[in-house]
Structures are given as structure tokens and as C-alpha cells.
């Protein structure tokens, strides 16, 4: 299985997640170290939560620190010149969707491969990998988690993760990975472009 | 050992915890997904923290998703018609005490059964199972944890958990479970009815 | 290896961390139980996070509750008479640096001893042990993590942790432990005395 393209998706997604964490840290007046840490946690925090709940320890992000280092370098670059990154908001939103898709598919498939292949667990681990880092970012920044408040973000992740089990069984790992990825990314971008949101309850 | 009654306690407690998470999410203007997630984390988050610190992985809430699904269904119902639930505040407080008792007893006993039977660990795992979900709810909602601020809530859990070890040794699992449960619930409800609080320090 | 002196450092550091957690809880109007819990989590939370990510479960702080009990006793004393402790601010800052040094060195060395001796992991586990408790304290208190915002705190921990691997290989465990400790404490105190901070980004 040729993973070059897949690695590219993971790299783009890691960079986008790290950039969103770094921008949040800058907005909150964190110092250089704080910005780096928030970016790191945003980028690899979902995978760390997933590995923690899987008992896959130490987490991959510590054992194979490539993506952690990428997140730190990205954060340093954003810290040094945040303005151009902020101007690329639309591009970052696209790359963020790529990250959501790649992390969801990778996390869900890891669950299957480690023997946690019940549907509920596959979806839970895919979702946690996809949105966990952003939740940690928001909690550490003192913000209500964005994923609980706005737009079709987590639902895109869940919809994609639901594809993993049946496709993996019938068409193999690679097809499952890319189909899940494609569904998450396209659902997410479709809802961003159309401004589609979930309803909020009447305030009780 | 007949666990039918016990399962009923767990079901009632899970529903009450989920309802408190859902109401918090509605108050914070979370969307439908956010309300469901906050309810889920409130209901099973304590058990997930406990399983994480026990190395009991993946957590029971993922491996046996019955209670997770119950929490999600409860949350959806609360989301669709929050007003009646809010009017039942007193009932929810009683059911919440049932949940505190059932989760404390279940968590502490699981510690004993998995060989973590030192008194400090039994109490810690009982307490964490009982109050961990509520703490996660408050952190995710951006509120100071209620359990750190008000009333005899955690102390009731600790008092009950202290019964588990001696009763389990002398009278067996079932007696320990129900005695712990009964002490937690009655202490908690007594303090709710009487409005008994812990002291707060003079502000330094 | 004579660990008497080392235990003294750990005791002083645990007390200082617990005191900082207790003072925060008092400031936030937590009740007696909340103050105790926040102090406990501040003192042993970093080690619990480390053990969780190492798969060293249940965490040492639960299996050997000496330090947890020390934190609880410290917190009770601070709760009963916070004013004298607040007046000793400078002393607490010194003891806090002792704790940062001892926890960093102990956490990093534990990583090496458990076979997680890659440089990135040693530094990550040392840093997490040193600053994790303070981050949990701030998140639970609803504050942005102090370590992300001010002064050379985490950097001192990282610098010290970088010494552990080479010194452990060439000069043995004890030398590595004390050299790491000494570097962290002196860097931290130097920056406190001189008021040295990290830069904050231009607000984008």
C-alpha cells in the first residue's frame, strides 16, 4: 500500500491543526512557549487521548515525534509572522478539513487494527482522534469547545467513521481509509461553504 | 447475585447525569451535537477516567456502550423538550444522588476486584467514578467544578466508599455494594434537604 | 544510592505545589473539600498524567499515597490559616522551583528506567511531570495556564531534562538526577530574581 499521499494528508492536517492552536495562543496572549505547547496539543492531543484510551502507550505522538516536531515548527513560524497566516483563513479551513478527515480515518482504522472493531468504538476512536485536539485547545484557552457550538464538524467525522468498518471488510484498508477521508472532507467543506449549522435548543 | 435492582440504579443514575450534562449544554448554547457530547461525558466520563487510571482499557463505556447509548437518548430527549426536565429539578436531584451512590460503589468495588484494594485506591476510584463526569462537564462548559464549591457531594461519596473494603471482606460483595450505595444516597439527600454546606475559607 | 536528600526535595516540592493549589482554591471560593482536591491535583497531577501516558497504572500517586496525603495535610493547614502562607510568597516561589526541579528530574528518569529513553520522550515526560499539575490546577480553576503565559518556567524544566540522558549514560543515575535538578532550580530562580520573561507575539 502506497502511503505517500496519505502521509501528505496527515502532514497538511497536522500543520493546519498546529496553526489553529498557535493562532489561539497568540490571541490569548500566551508567550512563545505557551503558543508552541498549545499548537502541539491541538495537533497531537486527539491522538494522545485516543492512544491513552486504547492503552497504546506511550502515545504514538511521543514514540514517533515527527508530527510533534512538525507542529512545533509550524507554531514557531506562525508565532513569528501571524498576519500572513490569518490572511489565509480560507486555506486553513480547507487544510483543517483535511486534518479532520485524515485523523478520523487513521484513528478509526487503528481501532480496527488493534482489535477494537465494534462499531461504537471505531466511531468513538475516529471522532476522538479528529476532534480531541481541538477540544483540548479550547479548554486550555478557556473557551467553550468550538466543536460543541458550531457547524457540521463532528458530524462529518462521525459520518466518515461509519464507513470504515464495512469498507474495510469488503474492500480493504486502503479503500476504507480514503473513502472515509473523502466523505469527511467533502461533508465538512460543503457545510462550510453553505454555512450549514446544527440547531441550538430553545434556551430553557 | 441478583443484579436487576443494581442495574436499575445505574440506569437511573446514568439518565440523571446525562440530563444534568444536557441541561448545562443547553444553557451554554451548545448545538445538538454539543449537548449530546456533554451529556455523554457527564454520564460516562467518571468511569472513563477511572478505567484510564486503572489501565482497564478501552474503557467499559466504549466496550459495552449500553450506558453511553442511554445517555445519548436521554440527552436527545432533553434537547427536544428541556422545559419539563427543568421543572422536575427535585426529582433529578434525587436521581443524581442515586447515580452518585451507584457510581461510587461500582467504581470502588471494581478497584477491589481488579486487585487495587488498598484503602486509598478504593476511595479514590470510587470518588473519581462518582464525581469525575461532573467535573469534566463543568470544565468543558467553562464553569468552576460545582463539586469543589457546594454542599456535601464528594464527602458523601467518600464516606460511602470507606464502607466498601470492610464490608466486602466480612459480608461479601453485595452487602458492600448496597451499604455503600445507601450511605451515599442518604447522606447526599439529607444534606440537600437540610441545605448543609462545607465551609469556605476566609478570603486571604 | 542515598535518597534521603532527594526525598526531602520531593517533600518540599510537593508541599509547595499543594500550597499553590490550595491558595488558588481559596481565591476561587472553593469549599474545604474543593481546596483539598485542587491542592492534591496540583501536587500529584503531573505525575498522574505522566503515569497515564506511560501505562504505569494505577499511577504511583495512588499506589503509594504518601505524597498525596502530604498534599492533603498541607492543603488543610493552608485552608485553616492562609494568611501566613500568602506572606511567605518568596519562600513558596523557591520551594516551587525545588518542586519543578525534583519532579522534572524524577519524571524524566522514570521514563529512562521504563525503557522510554528517546530524547523527545525523556524531555516530554520530565516536562509533563513538572508542569502538568499546575496546568490542571489552572484549568480546574478556570484560569489560563500560568505556565503558558509567564516567565521561564517550562523552559527551565526542558533545559534540565535535556541533561538527563547524556549524564545518566556517562555518570550514572544519581549525577543525572542532581544535575538536572540543580539546573532547573537555578535557571528558574535566576529568571524569577531578574524578572526575565519570554516574548509574547504581536497581537495578530
Amino acid at each position: 500500500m502506497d502511503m505517500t499521499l496519505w502521509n501528505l494528508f496527515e502532514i497538511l492536517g497536522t500543520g493546519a491543526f498546529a496553526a489553529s492552536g498557535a493562532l489561539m495562543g497568540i490571541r490569548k496572549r500566551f508567550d512563545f512557549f505557551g503558543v508552541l505547547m498549545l499548537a502541539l496539543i491541538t495537533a497531537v492531543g486527539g491522538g494522545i487521548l485516543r492512544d491513552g484510551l486504547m492503552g497504546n502507550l506511550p502515545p504514538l505522538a511521543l514514540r514517533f515525534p515527527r508530527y510533534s516536531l512538525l507542529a512545533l515548527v509550524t507554531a514557531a513560524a506562525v508565532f513569528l509572522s501571524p498576519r500572513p497566516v490569518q490572511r489565509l483563513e480560507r486555506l486553513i479551513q480547507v487544510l483543517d478539513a483535511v486534518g479532520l478527515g485524515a485523523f478520523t480515518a487513521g484513528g478509526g482504522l487503528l481501532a480496527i487494527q488493534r482489535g477494537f472493531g465494534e462499531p461504537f468504538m471505531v466511531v468513538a476512536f475516529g471522532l476522538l482522534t479528529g476532534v480531541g485536539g481541538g477540544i483540548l485547545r479550547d479548554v486550555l484557552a478557556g473557551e467553550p469547545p468550538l466543536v460543541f457550538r458550531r457547524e457540521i464538524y463532528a458530524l462529518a467525522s462521525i459520518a466518515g467513521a461509519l464507513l470504515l468498518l464495512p469498507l474495510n471488510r469488503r474492500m480493504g484498508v486502503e479503500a476504507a481509509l480514503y473513502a472515509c477521508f473523502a466523505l469527511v472532507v467533502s461533508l465538512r467543506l460543503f457545510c462550510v461553504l453553505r454555512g450549514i449549522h446544527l440547531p441550538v435548543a430553545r434556551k430553557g
Side-chain angles (χ1 to χ4, degrees), chain A:
Chain A
M1 176 172 167
D2 177 17
M3 295 303 285
T4 319
L5 182 60
W6 190 255
N7 286 338
L8 180 66
F9 291 156
E10 290 192 330
I11 287 168
L12 293 173
T14 302
F17 277 35
S20 90
L23 290 174
M24 173 72 90
I26 290 170
R27 200 158 2 119
K28 293 285 168 179
R29 312 297 293 155
F30 287 4
D31 67 15
F32 181 67
F33 172 79
V35 169
L36 258 60
M37 285 301 106
L38 199 62
L40 178 64
I41 291 167
T42 308
V44 304
I48 288 179
L49 289 176
R50 174 205 63 208
D51 289 339
L53 293 188
M54 271 189 190
N56 183 21
L57 299 167
L60 295 178
L62 295 184
R63 275 189 280 161
F64 307 103
R66 271 176 311 175
Y67 290 107
S68 301
L69 297 175
L70 171 63
L72 293 172
V73 170
T74 306
V78 173
F79 184 86
L80 293 175
S81 57
R83 269 174 205 281
V85 183
Q86 285 160 333
R87 251 181 253 123
L88 297 172
E89 198 195 336
R90 200 29 73 100
L91 175 62
I92 289 185
Q93 233 169 8
V94 173
L95 296 180
D96 186 271
V98 169
L100 183 66
F103 291 6
T104 299
L109 209 66
L110 186 63
I112 296 174
Q113 288 172 338
R114 290 181 63 90
F116 310 137
E118 329 290 312
F120 188 80
M121 276 203 278
V122 173
V123 172
F125 280 124
L127 177 65
L128 185 64
T129 312
V131 309
I135 292 177
L136 291 177
R137 174 199 64 208
D138 295 340
V139 166
L140 288 169
E143 296 281 321
L146 196 64
V147 66
F148 290 171
R149 304 194 69 182
R150 274 203 17 221
E151 302 170 357
I152 308 297
Y153 192 92
L155 274 195
S157 167
I158 291 173
L162 285 169
L163 291 185
L164 285 172
L165 265 183
L167 284 184
N168 181 56
R169 205 174 299 132
R170 273 171 235 161
M171 304 174 60
V173 169
E174 202 167 356
L177 212 50
Y178 283 101
C180 167
F181 173 79
L183 182 60
V184 175
V185 174
S186 48
L187 264 179
R188 171 70 187 136
L189 290 181
F190 179 79
C191 295
V192 166
L193 290 173
R194 295 290 176 98
I196 298 173
H197 298 248
L198 278 183
V200 170
R202 287 156 294 159
K203 203 155 190 173

